[in-house]
Amino acid sequence: MTAFEEELYAVEKKVSAQLSDGRFQHCLRVSDYARKLAQKNGVDENQAALAGLVHDYAKERPAEDFLVAIDRFHLDPNLKNWSRAIWHGVVGAEMIQDELGIDDPAILDAVRLHTTGDGVEMPTLAKIVFMADYLETGRDFPGVKEAREITNKSLDRGVFYQLQHTLSFLAENGNVIYPKTFTSYNDWARHFAE
Ligand code: GDP
Ligand code: FE
Ligand code: FE
């Protein structure tokens, strides 16, 4: 095994210990999909595979863990008004650094942004994890085929597609929408206007 394969394997064991089998399998599929998108988009495929593997590391932690971590890592206290759907990325990134020893800032940023996306300045690795999470082979929602085709042609168009559809879905269901989800959407909508 290469040094990277050994690292990936060690991290896999730690991720699987934190998650239900179904969620762990999702992480493996996101890792594979991220590797493919990295090859297409000129990003280091090992870096993308590792980022995909860890993106939901904190997804099953109790709320109390996140509330403690927000103080411990000196994150914005307003985050406490949100929920695990938002915390597992933005707070989860700190847990990944602390508990898995992953220090690559690009990987940590990709985890931070994987639920809300970001504006057009979003780093390519973060776009890849955001899209791999949405498109991994186990995903089956109306439009997933179209979303995969769009993303194969243009990663940026894929990011906008996901933001558009997630925003509509959240609003249709009467969910509270995190401000960053709006600002990400608006930035891309302006970018692609006309
Ligand atoms: P997952 O962790 O693989 O399930 O995927 P994500 O991290 O992308 O999303 C986690 C959950 O957060 C999903 O149910 C999304 O619909 C939801 N979500 C995404 N954006 C927002 C938002 O702005 N507000 C709220 N309340 N939920 C959101
Ligand atoms: Fe997630
Ligand atoms: Fe995920």
Short mmCIF file of all heavy atoms in Angstrom, two decimals, residues 45-112:
data_model
loop_
_atom_site.label_atom_id
_atom_site.label_comp_id
_atom_site.label_asym_id
_atom_site.label_seq_id
_atom_site.Cartn_x
_atom_site.Cartn_y
_atom_site.Cartn_z
N GLU A 45 -6.64 13.80 -6.85
CA GLU A 45 -7.73 12.86 -6.58
C GLU A 45 -7.66 12.25 -5.18
O GLU A 45 -8.68 11.94 -4.57
CB GLU A 45 -7.85 11.78 -7.65
CG GLU A 45 -6.63 10.95 -7.86
CD GLU A 45 -6.89 9.82 -8.84
OE1 GLU A 45 -7.56 8.85 -8.45
OE2 GLU A 45 -6.42 9.90 -9.98
N ASN A 46 -6.45 12.12 -4.63
CA ASN A 46 -6.34 11.59 -3.27
C ASN A 46 -6.90 12.58 -2.25
O ASN A 46 -7.57 12.19 -1.29
CB ASN A 46 -4.88 11.29 -2.93
CG ASN A 46 -4.38 10.04 -3.63
OD1 ASN A 46 -5.17 9.15 -3.99
ND2 ASN A 46 -3.08 9.96 -3.85
N GLN A 47 -6.60 13.85 -2.47
CA GLN A 47 -7.13 14.90 -1.59
C GLN A 47 -8.66 14.89 -1.64
O GLN A 47 -9.33 14.98 -0.60
CB GLN A 47 -6.58 16.24 -2.07
CG GLN A 47 -6.86 17.41 -1.16
CD GLN A 47 -6.41 18.72 -1.79
OE1 GLN A 47 -6.47 18.91 -3.01
NE2 GLN A 47 -5.98 19.64 -0.95
N ALA A 48 -9.22 14.74 -2.83
CA ALA A 48 -10.68 14.72 -3.00
C ALA A 48 -11.28 13.47 -2.35
O ALA A 48 -12.34 13.53 -1.71
CB ALA A 48 -11.04 14.77 -4.49
N ALA A 49 -10.61 12.32 -2.50
CA ALA A 49 -11.11 11.07 -1.91
C ALA A 49 -11.14 11.18 -0.38
O ALA A 49 -12.10 10.74 0.27
CB ALA A 49 -10.24 9.90 -2.35
N LEU A 50 -10.11 11.77 0.19
CA LEU A 50 -10.06 11.92 1.65
C LEU A 50 -11.13 12.91 2.14
O LEU A 50 -11.83 12.65 3.12
CB LEU A 50 -8.65 12.38 2.07
CG LEU A 50 -8.37 12.56 3.56
CD1 LEU A 50 -8.70 11.29 4.35
CD2 LEU A 50 -6.91 12.97 3.78
N ALA A 51 -11.28 14.01 1.42
CA ALA A 51 -12.30 15.00 1.79
C ALA A 51 -13.70 14.38 1.73
O ALA A 51 -14.52 14.57 2.64
CB ALA A 51 -12.21 16.22 0.86
N GLY A 52 -13.97 13.62 0.69
CA GLY A 52 -15.28 12.96 0.55
C GLY A 52 -15.52 11.96 1.67
O GLY A 52 -16.61 11.89 2.24
N LEU A 53 -14.48 11.22 1.99
CA LEU A 53 -14.61 10.20 3.05
C LEU A 53 -15.01 10.82 4.39
O LEU A 53 -15.83 10.28 5.12
CB LEU A 53 -13.26 9.46 3.20
CG LEU A 53 -13.18 8.46 4.34
CD1 LEU A 53 -14.16 7.30 4.15
CD2 LEU A 53 -11.74 7.91 4.47
N VAL A 54 -14.43 11.97 4.72
CA VAL A 54 -14.65 12.54 6.07
C VAL A 54 -15.80 13.54 6.13
O VAL A 54 -16.14 14.01 7.22
CB VAL A 54 -13.36 13.20 6.63
CG1 VAL A 54 -12.24 12.17 6.73
CG2 VAL A 54 -12.92 14.41 5.82
N HIS A 55 -16.41 13.89 4.98
CA HIS A 55 -17.31 15.06 4.98
C HIS A 55 -18.44 14.97 6.02
O HIS A 55 -18.84 15.98 6.57
CB HIS A 55 -17.87 15.33 3.57
CG HIS A 55 -19.05 14.48 3.22
ND1 HIS A 55 -18.96 13.13 2.93
CD2 HIS A 55 -20.38 14.79 3.16
CE1 HIS A 55 -20.16 12.65 2.70
NE2 HIS A 55 -21.05 13.63 2.83
N ASP A 56 -18.98 13.77 6.26
CA ASP A 56 -20.08 13.61 7.23
C ASP A 56 -19.61 12.97 8.54
O ASP A 56 -20.44 12.38 9.28
CB ASP A 56 -21.22 12.76 6.62
CG ASP A 56 -22.20 13.58 5.79
OD1 ASP A 56 -22.25 14.82 5.94
OD2 ASP A 56 -22.93 12.96 4.99
N TYR A 57 -18.34 13.07 8.83
CA TYR A 57 -17.77 12.46 10.05
C TYR A 57 -18.60 12.78 11.31
O TYR A 57 -18.83 11.92 12.15
CB TYR A 57 -16.33 12.97 10.24
CG TYR A 57 -15.69 12.60 11.56
CD1 TYR A 57 -15.21 11.30 11.78
CD2 TYR A 57 -15.55 13.55 12.58
CE1 TYR A 57 -14.62 10.96 12.99
CE2 TYR A 57 -14.96 13.21 13.79
CZ TYR A 57 -14.50 11.91 13.99
OH TYR A 57 -13.91 11.58 15.18
N ALA A 58 -19.07 14.03 11.41
CA ALA A 58 -19.75 14.48 12.64
C ALA A 58 -21.28 14.38 12.57
O ALA A 58 -21.97 14.83 13.48
CB ALA A 58 -19.34 15.92 12.95
N LYS A 59 -21.78 13.79 11.49
CA LYS A 59 -23.23 13.83 11.22
C LYS A 59 -24.09 13.21 12.32
O LYS A 59 -25.24 13.60 12.50
CB LYS A 59 -23.47 13.13 9.88
CG LYS A 59 -24.91 13.09 9.43
CD LYS A 59 -25.28 14.22 8.53
CE LYS A 59 -26.76 14.13 8.17
NZ LYS A 59 -27.18 15.20 7.29
N GLU A 60 -23.57 12.26 13.05
CA GLU A 60 -24.41 11.58 14.05
C GLU A 60 -24.08 11.98 15.49
O GLU A 60 -24.55 11.34 16.44
CB GLU A 60 -24.32 10.05 13.83
CG GLU A 60 -24.93 9.68 12.48
CD GLU A 60 -24.84 8.21 12.10
OE1 GLU A 60 -24.41 7.39 12.93
OE2 GLU A 60 -25.23 7.89 10.96
N ARG A 61 -23.32 13.04 15.66
CA ARG A 61 -22.99 13.51 17.02
C ARG A 61 -24.20 14.18 17.66
O ARG A 61 -24.98 14.85 16.97
CB ARG A 61 -21.84 14.52 16.95
CG ARG A 61 -20.59 13.93 16.35
CD ARG A 61 -19.88 13.04 17.32
NE ARG A 61 -19.01 13.82 18.14
CZ ARG A 61 -17.68 13.85 18.02
NH1 ARG A 61 -17.06 13.13 17.12
NH2 ARG A 61 -16.97 14.59 18.83
N PRO A 62 -24.36 14.02 18.97
CA PRO A 62 -25.48 14.70 19.64
C PRO A 62 -25.28 16.22 19.64
O PRO A 62 -24.14 16.71 19.57
CB PRO A 62 -25.42 14.15 21.07
CG PRO A 62 -24.05 13.61 21.25
CD PRO A 62 -23.54 13.23 19.90
N ALA A 63 -26.40 16.93 19.74
CA ALA A 63 -26.37 18.40 19.72
C ALA A 63 -25.39 18.94 20.77
O ALA A 63 -24.66 19.90 20.51
CB ALA A 63 -27.77 18.95 19.96
N GLU A 64 -25.38 18.31 21.93
CA GLU A 64 -24.54 18.80 23.02
C GLU A 64 -23.05 18.88 22.63
O GLU A 64 -22.35 19.82 22.99
CB GLU A 64 -24.74 17.88 24.25
CG GLU A 64 -23.99 18.31 25.50
CD GLU A 64 -24.28 19.75 25.97
OE1 GLU A 64 -25.39 20.28 25.67
OE2 GLU A 64 -23.39 20.34 26.61
N ASP A 65 -22.59 17.90 21.87
CA ASP A 65 -21.18 17.89 21.40
C ASP A 65 -20.89 19.14 20.57
O ASP A 65 -19.82 19.74 20.67
CB ASP A 65 -20.90 16.68 20.51
CG ASP A 65 -20.70 15.40 21.29
OD1 ASP A 65 -21.23 15.30 22.41
OD2 ASP A 65 -20.02 14.49 20.77
N PHE A 66 -21.85 19.50 19.71
CA PHE A 66 -21.64 20.67 18.84
C PHE A 66 -21.64 21.95 19.67
O PHE A 66 -20.84 22.85 19.44
CB PHE A 66 -22.71 20.73 17.76
CG PHE A 66 -22.61 19.64 16.72
CD1 PHE A 66 -23.56 18.64 16.65
CD2 PHE A 66 -21.55 19.62 15.82
CE1 PHE A 66 -23.47 17.63 15.69
CE2 PHE A 66 -21.44 18.62 14.85
CZ PHE A 66 -22.41 17.63 14.79
N LEU A 67 -22.56 22.03 20.63
CA LEU A 67 -22.65 23.24 21.46
C LEU A 67 -21.35 23.45 22.24
O LEU A 67 -20.85 24.57 22.34
CB LEU A 67 -23.87 23.16 22.38
CG LEU A 67 -25.21 23.18 21.61
CD1 LEU A 67 -26.38 22.81 22.51
CD2 LEU A 67 -25.45 24.53 20.95
N VAL A 68 -20.81 22.37 22.77
CA VAL A 68 -19.53 22.45 23.48
C VAL A 68 -18.41 22.87 22.52
O VAL A 68 -17.59 23.74 22.82
CB VAL A 68 -19.21 21.09 24.16
CG1 VAL A 68 -17.77 21.06 24.67
CG2 VAL A 68 -20.20 20.82 25.31
N ALA A 69 -18.42 22.26 21.34
CA ALA A 69 -17.35 22.54 20.37
C ALA A 69 -17.39 23.99 19.86
O ALA A 69 -16.34 24.57 19.60
CB ALA A 69 -17.45 21.56 19.19
N ILE A 70 -18.58 24.56 19.74
CA ILE A 70 -18.70 25.95 19.27
C ILE A 70 -17.94 26.88 20.22
O ILE A 70 -17.22 27.78 19.78
CB ILE A 70 -20.18 26.37 19.11
CG1 ILE A 70 -20.80 25.63 17.92
CG2 ILE A 70 -20.33 27.89 18.95
CD1 ILE A 70 -22.32 25.68 17.85
N ASP A 71 -18.04 26.63 21.52
CA ASP A 71 -17.27 27.41 22.49
C ASP A 71 -15.79 27.05 22.43
O ASP A 71 -14.93 27.92 22.37
CB ASP A 71 -17.79 27.15 23.92
CG ASP A 71 -19.15 27.81 24.16
OD1 ASP A 71 -19.44 28.82 23.48
OD2 ASP A 71 -19.92 27.30 24.99
N ARG A 72 -15.53 25.78 22.46
CA ARG A 72 -14.13 25.32 22.53
C ARG A 72 -13.29 25.82 21.35
O ARG A 72 -12.12 26.17 21.50
CB ARG A 72 -14.13 23.79 22.59
CG ARG A 72 -12.74 23.24 22.60
CD ARG A 72 -12.68 21.76 22.97
NE ARG A 72 -11.34 21.33 22.69
CZ ARG A 72 -11.00 20.23 22.03
NH1 ARG A 72 -11.95 19.38 21.64
NH2 ARG A 72 -9.75 19.95 21.78
N PHE A 73 -13.90 25.85 20.17
CA PHE A 73 -13.15 26.27 18.98
C PHE A 73 -13.40 27.75 18.63
O PHE A 73 -13.03 28.20 17.55
CB PHE A 73 -13.47 25.35 17.79
CG PHE A 73 -13.03 23.93 18.03
CD1 PHE A 73 -13.95 22.92 18.27
CD2 PHE A 73 -11.67 23.60 18.04
CE1 PHE A 73 -13.54 21.62 18.51
CE2 PHE A 73 -11.26 22.30 18.28
CZ PHE A 73 -12.19 21.30 18.52
N HIS A 74 -14.04 28.47 19.56
CA HIS A 74 -14.27 29.92 19.40
C HIS A 74 -14.97 30.23 18.08
O HIS A 74 -14.60 31.17 17.38
CB HIS A 74 -12.94 30.69 19.50
CG HIS A 74 -12.15 30.32 20.72
ND1 HIS A 74 -12.55 30.67 22.00
CD2 HIS A 74 -11.02 29.60 20.87
CE1 HIS A 74 -11.69 30.18 22.87
NE2 HIS A 74 -10.74 29.52 22.22
N LEU A 75 -15.99 29.44 17.76
CA LEU A 75 -16.77 29.71 16.55
C LEU A 75 -17.85 30.74 16.90
O LEU A 75 -18.12 31.00 18.08
CB LEU A 75 -17.40 28.41 16.02
CG LEU A 75 -16.39 27.30 15.68
CD1 LEU A 75 -17.12 26.04 15.23
CD2 LEU A 75 -15.41 27.76 14.61
N ASP A 76 -18.47 31.32 15.87
CA ASP A 76 -19.51 32.33 16.06
C ASP A 76 -20.63 31.78 16.96
O ASP A 76 -21.29 30.79 16.60
CB ASP A 76 -20.07 32.69 14.67
CG ASP A 76 -21.15 33.77 14.74
OD1 ASP A 76 -21.60 34.11 15.85
OD2 ASP A 76 -21.54 34.25 13.66
N PRO A 77 -20.87 32.43 18.12
CA PRO A 77 -21.89 31.91 19.05
C PRO A 77 -23.30 31.86 18.44
O PRO A 77 -24.14 31.07 18.88
CB PRO A 77 -21.87 32.89 20.23
CG PRO A 77 -20.66 33.74 20.04
CD PRO A 77 -20.19 33.63 18.62
N ASN A 78 -23.56 32.67 17.39
CA ASN A 78 -24.87 32.61 16.73
C ASN A 78 -25.15 31.24 16.10
O ASN A 78 -26.31 30.90 15.86
CB ASN A 78 -24.97 33.67 15.62
CG ASN A 78 -25.02 35.06 16.21
OD1 ASN A 78 -25.69 35.30 17.21
ND2 ASN A 78 -24.28 35.98 15.61
N LEU A 79 -24.10 30.50 15.86
CA LEU A 79 -24.29 29.14 15.33
C LEU A 79 -25.16 28.30 16.24
O LEU A 79 -25.83 27.36 15.79
CB LEU A 79 -22.93 28.44 15.20
CG LEU A 79 -22.19 28.53 13.87
CD1 LEU A 79 -20.82 27.91 14.03
CD2 LEU A 79 -22.98 27.82 12.76
N LYS A 80 -25.15 28.64 17.53
CA LYS A 80 -25.94 27.85 18.49
C LYS A 80 -27.43 27.87 18.19
O LYS A 80 -28.17 27.01 18.66
CB LYS A 80 -25.68 28.34 19.92
CG LYS A 80 -24.26 28.02 20.38
CD LYS A 80 -24.06 28.41 21.83
CE LYS A 80 -22.59 28.18 22.20
NZ LYS A 80 -22.29 28.65 23.56
N ASN A 81 -27.89 28.87 17.43
CA ASN A 81 -29.30 28.95 17.07
C ASN A 81 -29.69 28.00 15.93
O ASN A 81 -30.85 27.95 15.57
CB ASN A 81 -29.66 30.38 16.65
CG ASN A 81 -29.39 31.36 17.76
OD1 ASN A 81 -29.66 31.06 18.92
ND2 ASN A 81 -28.83 32.52 17.44
N TRP A 82 -28.71 27.29 15.37
CA TRP A 82 -29.02 26.41 14.24
C TRP A 82 -29.10 24.97 14.72
O TRP A 82 -29.34 24.72 15.88
CB TRP A 82 -28.04 26.68 13.10
CG TRP A 82 -28.30 28.05 12.58
CD1 TRP A 82 -27.78 29.22 13.06
CD2 TRP A 82 -29.28 28.41 11.61
NE1 TRP A 82 -28.36 30.28 12.42
CE2 TRP A 82 -29.27 29.83 11.53
CE3 TRP A 82 -30.16 27.69 10.79
CZ2 TRP A 82 -30.12 30.51 10.65
CZ3 TRP A 82 -30.99 28.38 9.92
CH2 TRP A 82 -30.96 29.78 9.87
N SER A 83 -28.95 24.04 13.79
CA SER A 83 -29.20 22.65 14.15
C SER A 83 -28.11 21.75 13.56
O SER A 83 -27.23 22.22 12.84
CB SER A 83 -30.56 22.22 13.62
OG SER A 83 -30.49 22.26 12.21
N ARG A 84 -28.22 20.48 13.83
CA ARG A 84 -27.19 19.53 13.42
C ARG A 84 -27.00 19.51 11.90
O ARG A 84 -25.91 19.23 11.43
CB ARG A 84 -27.53 18.14 13.98
CG ARG A 84 -27.36 18.12 15.51
CD ARG A 84 -28.11 16.96 16.17
NE ARG A 84 -27.46 15.71 15.92
CZ ARG A 84 -28.00 14.70 15.25
NH1 ARG A 84 -29.23 14.78 14.79
NH2 ARG A 84 -27.32 13.59 15.08
N ALA A 85 -28.09 19.79 11.15
CA ALA A 85 -27.96 19.83 9.68
C ALA A 85 -26.87 20.83 9.27
O ALA A 85 -26.12 20.60 8.32
CB ALA A 85 -29.29 20.19 9.03
N ILE A 86 -26.79 21.94 9.97
CA ILE A 86 -25.79 22.97 9.67
C ILE A 86 -24.48 22.69 10.42
O ILE A 86 -23.39 22.81 9.85
CB ILE A 86 -26.36 24.37 10.05
CG1 ILE A 86 -27.60 24.70 9.20
CG2 ILE A 86 -25.29 25.46 9.94
CD1 ILE A 86 -27.38 24.69 7.70
N TRP A 87 -24.57 22.27 11.66
CA TRP A 87 -23.36 22.08 12.48
C TRP A 87 -22.42 21.01 11.95
O TRP A 87 -21.20 21.12 12.11
CB TRP A 87 -23.76 21.68 13.91
CG TRP A 87 -24.46 22.74 14.70
CD1 TRP A 87 -24.34 24.10 14.55
CD2 TRP A 87 -25.40 22.54 15.77
NE1 TRP A 87 -25.14 24.75 15.46
CE2 TRP A 87 -25.80 23.81 16.21
CE3 TRP A 87 -25.92 21.40 16.39
CZ2 TRP A 87 -26.71 23.98 17.27
CZ3 TRP A 87 -26.84 21.56 17.43
CH2 TRP A 87 -27.22 22.84 17.87
N HIS A 88 -22.96 19.93 11.38
CA HIS A 88 -22.07 18.79 11.09
C HIS A 88 -20.99 19.15 10.06
O HIS A 88 -19.96 18.50 10.01
CB HIS A 88 -22.86 17.54 10.69
CG HIS A 88 -23.34 17.52 9.27
ND1 HIS A 88 -24.43 18.21 8.83
CD2 HIS A 88 -22.85 16.88 8.18
CE1 HIS A 88 -24.61 17.99 7.54
NE2 HIS A 88 -23.66 17.19 7.12
N GLY A 89 -21.22 20.21 9.27
CA GLY A 89 -20.18 20.66 8.35
C GLY A 89 -19.27 21.68 8.99
O GLY A 89 -18.06 21.47 9.16
N VAL A 90 -19.87 22.77 9.43
CA VAL A 90 -19.06 23.91 9.88
C VAL A 90 -18.37 23.63 11.22
O VAL A 90 -17.22 24.01 11.41
CB VAL A 90 -19.91 25.21 9.84
CG1 VAL A 90 -21.07 25.17 10.79
CG2 VAL A 90 -19.08 26.43 10.08
N VAL A 91 -19.04 22.94 12.11
CA VAL A 91 -18.40 22.55 13.38
C VAL A 91 -17.66 21.22 13.20
O VAL A 91 -16.58 21.01 13.78
CB VAL A 91 -19.43 22.46 14.53
CG1 VAL A 91 -18.73 22.22 15.86
CG2 VAL A 91 -20.30 23.72 14.60
N GLY A 92 -18.22 20.37 12.36
CA GLY A 92 -17.61 19.06 12.09
C GLY A 92 -16.17 19.20 11.58
O GLY A 92 -15.31 18.38 11.92
N ALA A 93 -15.90 20.24 10.80
CA ALA A 93 -14.54 20.44 10.28
C ALA A 93 -13.53 20.57 11.43
O ALA A 93 -12.42 20.04 11.34
CB ALA A 93 -14.50 21.69 9.39
N GLU A 94 -13.92 21.25 12.50
CA GLU A 94 -13.02 21.40 13.65
C GLU A 94 -12.80 20.05 14.35
O GLU A 94 -11.70 19.75 14.81
CB GLU A 94 -13.61 22.39 14.67
CG GLU A 94 -13.96 23.76 14.11
CD GLU A 94 -12.77 24.52 13.54
OE1 GLU A 94 -11.64 24.33 14.04
OE2 GLU A 94 -12.99 25.28 12.58
N MET A 95 -13.86 19.25 14.41
CA MET A 95 -13.75 17.92 15.04
C MET A 95 -12.84 17.01 14.22
O MET A 95 -12.09 16.20 14.77
CB MET A 95 -15.14 17.29 15.18
CG MET A 95 -16.04 18.04 16.16
SD MET A 95 -17.73 17.47 16.01
CE MET A 95 -18.45 18.16 17.50
N ILE A 96 -12.94 17.16 12.90
CA ILE A 96 -12.10 16.34 12.00
C ILE A 96 -10.63 16.69 12.19
O ILE A 96 -9.77 15.81 12.26
CB ILE A 96 -12.56 16.55 10.53
CG1 ILE A 96 -13.89 15.83 10.31
CG2 ILE A 96 -11.50 16.11 9.54
CD1 ILE A 96 -14.63 16.26 9.05
N GLN A 97 -10.35 17.98 12.30
CA GLN A 97 -8.96 18.39 12.52
C GLN A 97 -8.47 17.89 13.88
O GLN A 97 -7.40 17.30 14.00
CB GLN A 97 -8.85 19.92 12.45
CG GLN A 97 -7.41 20.39 12.61
CD GLN A 97 -7.23 21.86 12.32
OE1 GLN A 97 -8.16 22.66 12.52
NE2 GLN A 97 -6.06 22.24 11.84
N ASP A 98 -9.31 18.07 14.88
CA ASP A 98 -8.93 17.73 16.26
C ASP A 98 -8.82 16.21 16.46
O ASP A 98 -7.88 15.72 17.07
CB ASP A 98 -10.01 18.31 17.19
CG ASP A 98 -9.70 18.07 18.65
OD1 ASP A 98 -8.54 18.35 19.05
OD2 ASP A 98 -10.60 17.62 19.39
N GLU A 99 -9.79 15.46 15.93
CA GLU A 99 -9.88 14.03 16.26
C GLU A 99 -9.24 13.12 15.22
O GLU A 99 -8.81 12.02 15.54
CB GLU A 99 -11.37 13.65 16.43
CG GLU A 99 -12.00 14.40 17.60
CD GLU A 99 -13.52 14.26 17.67
OE1 GLU A 99 -14.06 13.27 17.13
OE2 GLU A 99 -14.18 15.15 18.27
N LEU A 100 -9.19 13.57 13.96
CA LEU A 100 -8.58 12.73 12.91
C LEU A 100 -7.20 13.25 12.53
O LEU A 100 -6.49 12.59 11.76
CB LEU A 100 -9.47 12.69 11.66
CG LEU A 100 -10.90 12.14 11.84
CD1 LEU A 100 -11.65 12.15 10.51
CD2 LEU A 100 -10.85 10.71 12.39
N GLY A 101 -6.84 14.44 13.03
CA GLY A 101 -5.51 14.99 12.73
C GLY A 101 -5.35 15.41 11.28
O GLY A 101 -4.24 15.51 10.78
N ILE A 102 -6.47 15.68 10.60
CA ILE A 102 -6.37 16.17 9.22
C ILE A 102 -6.22 17.69 9.27
O ILE A 102 -7.10 18.39 9.78
CB ILE A 102 -7.62 15.74 8.40
CG1 ILE A 102 -7.60 14.22 8.23
CG2 ILE A 102 -7.65 16.46 7.05
CD1 ILE A 102 -8.85 13.65 7.58
N ASP A 103 -5.09 18.18 8.75
CA ASP A 103 -4.78 19.62 8.85
C ASP A 103 -4.86 20.33 7.50
O ASP A 103 -4.67 21.55 7.46
CB ASP A 103 -3.36 19.80 9.41
CG ASP A 103 -3.28 19.40 10.87
OD1 ASP A 103 -4.22 19.72 11.63
OD2 ASP A 103 -2.29 18.74 11.25
N ASP A 104 -5.09 19.60 6.42
CA ASP A 104 -5.12 20.23 5.09
C ASP A 104 -6.26 21.26 5.07
O ASP A 104 -7.44 20.89 5.13
CB ASP A 104 -5.33 19.14 4.03
CG ASP A 104 -5.38 19.69 2.61
OD1 ASP A 104 -5.58 20.91 2.43
OD2 ASP A 104 -5.24 18.87 1.68
N PRO A 105 -5.94 22.56 4.97
CA PRO A 105 -7.00 23.58 5.05
C PRO A 105 -8.02 23.46 3.92
O PRO A 105 -9.19 23.82 4.11
CB PRO A 105 -6.26 24.92 4.96
CG PRO A 105 -4.83 24.62 4.67
CD PRO A 105 -4.60 23.14 4.77
N ALA A 106 -7.60 22.95 2.77
CA ALA A 106 -8.55 22.82 1.65
C ALA A 106 -9.59 21.73 1.95
O ALA A 106 -10.77 21.88 1.63
CB ALA A 106 -7.80 22.49 0.36
N ILE A 107 -9.14 20.66 2.61
CA ILE A 107 -10.09 19.60 2.99
C ILE A 107 -11.04 20.11 4.07
O ILE A 107 -12.26 19.92 4.00
CB ILE A 107 -9.33 18.34 3.47
CG1 ILE A 107 -8.57 17.71 2.30
CG2 ILE A 107 -10.30 17.33 4.12
CD1 ILE A 107 -7.78 16.45 2.65
N LEU A 108 -10.50 20.81 5.06
CA LEU A 108 -11.35 21.32 6.14
C LEU A 108 -12.37 22.32 5.61
O LEU A 108 -13.55 22.30 5.99
CB LEU A 108 -10.49 21.93 7.25
CG LEU A 108 -9.51 20.93 7.92
CD1 LEU A 108 -8.60 21.66 8.90
CD2 LEU A 108 -10.26 19.79 8.61
N ASP A 109 -11.95 23.17 4.66
CA ASP A 109 -12.90 24.12 4.05
C ASP A 109 -13.97 23.40 3.25
O ASP A 109 -15.14 23.80 3.28
CB ASP A 109 -12.15 25.08 3.11
CG ASP A 109 -11.88 26.41 3.79
OD1 ASP A 109 -12.53 26.70 4.81
OD2 ASP A 109 -11.00 27.14 3.30
N ALA A 110 -13.59 22.36 2.54
CA ALA A 110 -14.57 21.61 1.75
C ALA A 110 -15.64 21.01 2.67
O ALA A 110 -16.82 21.00 2.35
CB ALA A 110 -13.87 20.52 0.93
N VAL A 111 -15.22 20.53 3.84
CA VAL A 111 -16.19 19.98 4.81
C VAL A 111 -17.09 21.11 5.32
O VAL A 111 -18.32 20.96 5.38
CB VAL A 111 -15.47 19.28 5.98
CG1 VAL A 111 -16.48 18.88 7.06
CG2 VAL A 111 -14.71 18.06 5.49
N ARG A 112 -16.48 22.24 5.66
CA ARG A 112 -17.25 23.39 6.18
C ARG A 112 -18.35 23.83 5.23
O ARG A 112 -19.41 24.27 5.65
CB ARG A 112 -16.30 24.59 6.34
CG ARG A 112 -15.72 24.70 7.68
CD ARG A 112 -14.80 25.91 7.84
NE ARG A 112 -13.88 25.53 8.88
CZ ARG A 112 -12.57 25.32 8.73
NH1 ARG A 112 -11.98 25.54 7.57
NH2 ARG A 112 -11.87 24.91 9.75
#
